[in-house]
Amino acid sequence: MELSSAAERQNFTARPRYDATAGVLIGSECADCGARSWPGRGICNRCGSPRLEQVALAPAGSLQTYTTVHVARPGLAAPYLLGQVRLDDGVRVHAHLRGLAADAHVPLRVRLAFAADLETVPPFHFEPE
Ligand SMILES: [Zn+2]
């Protein structure tokens, strides 16, 4: 398959990032090497294949590290927590965190949760299981 076929794929900004009804993030999986990514990619970052399919990712994982953001981007109230979660299927996600104890230590089991109003920023976060 030619790499040019990737240009015919759905634009990056048009690809779904999550399915709140199913309670999962939507990523990509390479048909050639099996690499998964979130957000979904147009070209595999491991092998360069354009043969990627949308897949539902694991809804839980392990928080690997996190930090408190004191200088927020526009539209968000500081402070808030950001962290790296390794989902149970191996995909790493950089996301907002809620509900962590002040003395939380990593690794920590977390699960995906969605805002009641998906227009909220952010529309999803991770919280302790
Ligand atoms: Zn690949």
Side-chain angles (χ1 to χ4, degrees):
M1 182 177 286
E2 298 283 329
L3 276 181
S4 59
S5 66
E8 299 166 10
R9 297 171 54 86
Q10 192 174 31
N11 183 284
F12 174 79
T13 57
R15 291 180 215 144
R17 291 186 170 215
Y18 57 83
D19 179 343
T21 303
V24 294
L25 298 178
I26 303 296
S28 61
E29 181 176 84
C30 178
D32 291 317
C33 78
R36 288 183 162 203
S37 297
W38 186 87
R41 296 175 176 271
I43 302 286
C44 178
N45 63 314
R46 185 190 291 165
C47 75
S49 171
R51 299 192 327 126
L52 296 167
E53 299 177 357
Q54 290 181 357
V55 292
L57 301 176
S62 175
L63 178 63
Q64 301 293 293
T65 186
Y66 69 96
T67 191
T68 302
V69 177
H70 293 282
V71 180
R73 69 175 200 171
L76 293 176
Y80 58 87
L81 301 176
L82 287 178
Q84 285 280 344
V85 176
R86 184 190 307 251
L87 299 177
D88 290 338
D89 53 15
V91 176
R92 287 184 189 220
V93 176
H94 184 227
H96 285 251
L97 305 166
R98 295 203 179 134
L100 262 63
D103 61 347
H105 292 285
V106 294
L108 177 72
R109 290 291 304 168
V110 291
R111 63 182 157 83
L112 182 63
F114 286 88
D117 176 2
L118 294 175
E119 296 302 314
T120 302
V121 177
F124 65 85
H125 62 273
F126 285 84
E127 59 191 23
E129 281 188 330

